[in-house]
Amino acid sequence: MASMVGRIVIERLEFQGHCGVIPEERQTPQPIAVDVELEYQTEAAAATDNINHTVDYARVAERIVEVGRSQDTCLLETLAERLVGTLFAEFPAERVRIWVRKLAPPLKLSTESVGIRLERSRTAQQLQAADPPPARFLVQQLHRLPKGKALDVAAGSGRNALFLASHGFQVEAIDRDEQALAQLAATARQRNLQNLTVRTVDLEKGDRAPELPKEEYDVIVVFFYLYRSLFPALLDALKPNGVLVYETFVIDNYLRHQHPRRWEFCLAHNELLRLASRLRVLHYDEGEHEGGHGAGATFTAQLVAQKTGKGAYEPY
């Protein structure tokens, strides 16, 4: 079913704020206006006629004024970014467009206002806020993931494990690189992420893939790692209704960019679908994608698939 996207628009919301490059301009309150547009899913609100299932525009307006009045900034860009961050943090908006302007700018020339316009998606906002940034595909698919225990396979530096832990998942990160995992554990302690643990595992030791606990994880994520013999263990390790998120190179990337160094490390076309054929596909895309691995676009296969079970999770 196609999603129903609505927009809440608030025009010319005015308050007295403190924004200016020189201290005198920040010390004296001045009139600031904000226009904002929030995109969000409207199905639940339309079906229930319940304000708890929509974006409460009165509360949006209150928070803009509260944040705007409390901030002391040199630049309108800074104020606008802080407002956008607040809106994404507190309301279920998928995209925010905002126009923040001074109604009495310190100009000798006559003008009605001077301002800044910003447009941000929730995905872009989360990528910008995360350090290190997680895989873009994981951020895009976060809404599909059932909360619970997550496994990050071949976690490396742990960018995806840290992201999931910061969103409330109980995360186990596994990799054979002890040094990388030690650094990841240290970062988790610094951020007080007690819900993130690490375990050193050589995923390719010997002739057989390592055994994973059966039906243990609500979510398993694998990014830019391919060991085909591991797939049966991955699928068995998912709980009923658990979700696998997988992205790695397809052969096109090797042919066009000579990366990775061996073609065997790349998926053939549609191979990921075959490897995960025991699961129900929620999303699949194969082609050139931005923000996957390093700078620039790469050719990857992207999969989100669910292990069937009683009361199977429906994203929409």
Side-chain angles (χ1 to χ4, degrees):
M1 182 175 120
S3 61
M4 296 170 58
V5 178
R7 295 177 177 85
I8 281 182
V9 179
I10 300 175
E11 296 181 339
R12 200 179 173 93
L13 180 64
E14 296 185 29
F15 57 88
Q16 296 291 312
H18 301 265
C19 182
V21 175
I22 59 176
E24 292 78 11
E25 194 179 1
R26 295 195 301 277
Q27 290 170 3
T28 304
Q30 60 179 296
I32 293 176
V34 174
D35 292 63
V36 65
E37 180 177 318
L38 287 79
E39 288 188 9
Y40 69 105
Q41 297 293 326
T42 63
E43 296 100 316
T48 64
D49 198 26
N50 187 329
I51 194 172
N52 294 320
H53 295 156
T54 187
V55 175
D56 184 348
Y57 58 79
R59 184 59 183 155
V60 170
E62 290 174 2
R63 289 297 290 136
I64 289 174
V65 172
E66 288 170 0
V67 173
R69 284 175 173 169
S70 66
Q71 299 299 306
D72 182 347
T73 62
C74 293
L75 301 177
L76 285 170
E77 290 89 340
T78 304
L79 176 57
E81 289 286 5
R82 290 177 182 176
L83 290 172
V84 168
T86 298
L87 294 175
F88 277 124
E90 300 182 13
F91 301 95
E94 296 181 357
R95 182 174 295 274
V96 171
R97 299 177 181 87
I98 196 167
W99 181 21
V100 182
R101 61 197 190 276
K102 297 179 182 180
L103 297 180
L107 295 176
K108 294 181 180 180
L109 300 175
S110 177
T111 181
E112 287 189 359
S113 67
V114 173
I116 178 75
R117 296 181 192 267
L118 294 180
E119 180 173 348
R120 295 283 186 272
S121 68
R122 179 171 292 277
T123 297
Q125 187 73 12
Q126 289 175 324
L127 285 169
Q128 179 178 314
D131 181 25
R136 181 181 295 270
F137 182 57
L138 178 60
V139 177
Q140 292 170 340
Q141 300 300 321
L142 182 66
H143 66 284
R144 295 183 185 269
L145 307 186
K147 280 294 178 66
K149 190 171 184 180
L151 176 68
D152 186 0
V153 177
S157 62
R159 59 179 184 142
N160 297 318
L162 290 167
F163 176 74
L164 289 173
S166 71
H167 281 78
F169 292 84
Q170 185 70 38
V171 182
E172 180 182 356
I174 61 174
D175 199 287
R176 65 182 178 184
D177 189 333
E178 294 184 11
Q179 185 175 354
L181 289 181
Q183 182 58 53
L184 172 56
T187 302
R189 287 194 296 272
Q190 291 170 1
R191 300 182 184 183
N192 198 30
L193 293 174
Q194 299 179 14
N195 53 332
L196 195 161
T197 60
V198 303
R199 180 161 60 96
T200 303
V201 177
D202 189 344
L203 296 168
E204 302 176 30
K205 186 176 181 179
D207 297 331
R208 298 178 58 188
E211 291 188 5
L212 298 174
K214 300 291 192 296
E215 297 190 352
E216 178 77 8
Y217 303 101
D218 300 281
V219 176
I220 296 178
V221 300
V222 188
F223 281 85
F224 298 98
Y225 174 74
L226 179 61
Y227 184 51
R228 294 168 174 86
S229 299
L230 186 61
F231 267 84
L234 291 177
L235 305 191
D236 289 342
L238 278 173
K239 291 180 181 179
N241 306 320
V243 173
L244 172 68
V245 182
Y246 207 114
E247 180 180 18
T248 196
F249 300 109
V250 290
I251 191 63
D252 307 72
N253 207 72
Y254 176 82
L255 296 174
R256 299 196 186 197
H257 304 305
Q258 290 72 57
H259 183 79
R261 67 182 184 276
R262 293 171 56 183
W263 66 267
E264 297 96 321
F265 298 153
C266 296
L267 291 161
H269 295 155
N270 292 326
E271 183 182 6
L272 186 54
L273 289 172
R274 295 193 294 272
L275 291 169
S277 60
R278 287 164 48 191
L279 305 181
R280 183 170 71 92
V281 175
L282 303 179
H283 173 93
Y284 184 76
D285 189 69
E286 192 176 296
E288 193 172 19
H289 300 116
E290 294 285 346
H293 189 273
T298 53
F299 290 88
T300 67
Q302 299 177 332
L303 172 77
V304 183
Q306 182 184 44
K307 189 172 187 176
T308 56
K310 186 176 180 181
Y313 172 72
E314 294 289 348
Y316 293 109

